[in-house]
């Protein structure tokens, strides 16, 4: 199975009001992917996971054999969180493809990495990333993500 989608409806979480945000989480590391999924579900978000950039593009309708946006399950993705270092396609390359799409360019993309490399961070931010976060992510990081998504600053 290439994509995993799960949902959790937490009660009274102000960061996810009516209609939970749908987050696409992309990471080649299963442990990191599961941790991110768990943190997002605790914050009342619907989560779909992909193990690499190619699978993420397929899910988003931007795969090599897909000519236009056709999300297989018809759900709208409100946010994309991707690891930077992945085999085949980096998070930066995924970010570029998303920002080149006329349909997806406004979807916020957050990059995460275990490496704190300033030139990498600058490159991602210049390409349109909303935020660059260091791994391992914590619950407070997810709250910051939601704050960005909900435009509270």
């Amino acid at each position: 199975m290439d994509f995993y989608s799960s949902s959790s409806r937490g009660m009274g979480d102000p960061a996810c009001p009516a209609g939970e945000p749908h987050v696409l989480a992309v990471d080649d590391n299963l442990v990191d992917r599961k941790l991110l999924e768990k943190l997002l579900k605790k914050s009342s978000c619907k989560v779909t996971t992909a193990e690499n950039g190619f699978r993420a593009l397929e899910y988003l309708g931007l795969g090599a054999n897909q000519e236009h946006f056709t999300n297989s399950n018809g759900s709208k993705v409100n946010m994309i969180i991707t690891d930077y270092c992945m085999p085949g396609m980096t998070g930066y390359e995924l970010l570029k493809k998303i920002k080149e799409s006329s349909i997806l360019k406004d979807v916020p993309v957050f990059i995460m990495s275990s490496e704190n490399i300033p030139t990498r961070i600058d490159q991602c931010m210049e390409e349109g990333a909303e935020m660059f976060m260091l791994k391992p992510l914590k619950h407070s990081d997810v709250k910051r993500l939601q704050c960005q998504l909900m435009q509270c600053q």
Side-chain angles (χ1 to χ4, degrees):
M1 193 161 166
D2 297 331
F3 307 109
Y4 302 91
S5 184
S6 58
S7 176
S8 174
R9 299 206 184 261
M11 301 300 286
D13 188 337
C16 290
E20 58 192 9
H22 183 189
V23 180
L24 175 60
V26 188
D27 199 317
D28 60 306
N29 183 295
L30 179 63
V31 173
D32 287 343
R33 203 166 55 238
K34 289 293 183 185
L35 173 64
L36 181 57
E37 181 180 18
K38 183 178 178 182
L39 289 170
L40 289 165
K41 285 171 62 177
K42 271 187 170 180
S43 297
S44 304
C45 294
K46 178 180 178 183
V47 182
T48 299
T49 61
E51 71 272 11
N52 60 48
F54 297 111
R55 296 287 187 227
L57 289 176
E58 284 177 20
Y59 182 78
L60 294 168
L62 298 175
N65 298 325
Q66 297 167 306
E67 294 181 18
H68 53 80
F69 180 75
T70 53
N71 190 321
S72 60
N73 62 9
S75 63
K76 182 180 185 307
V77 173
N78 304 100
M79 179 191 314
I80 299 164
I81 304 172
T82 182
D83 184 23
Y84 183 91
C85 287
M86 296 183 291
M89 177 186 295
T90 67
Y92 175 72
E93 292 166 330
L94 176 60
L95 169 69
K96 284 180 65 169
K97 292 204 177 284
I98 291 166
K99 294 303 177 183
E100 288 169 0
S101 164
S102 60
I103 295 167
L104 296 173
K105 67 181 179 186
D106 294 326
V107 175
V109 179
F110 299 84
I111 308 284
M112 56 186 177
S113 178
S114 57
E115 300 172 326
N116 188 1
I117 301 172
T119 54
R120 181 181 290 174
I121 295 168
D122 292 343
Q123 184 183 38
C124 290
M125 298 306 286
E126 287 171 11
E127 194 61 43
E130 292 291 318
M131 190 184 304
F132 193 102
M133 302 169 296
L134 290 176
K135 288 180 174 182
L137 295 187
K138 301 174 285 305
H139 188 66
S140 59
D141 294 320
V142 173
K143 289 295 183 188
R144 283 187 14 226
L145 290 173
Q146 291 175 321
C147 223
Q148 285 281 90
L149 181 62
M150 301 303 173
Q151 307 266 332
C152 46
Q153 298 180 354

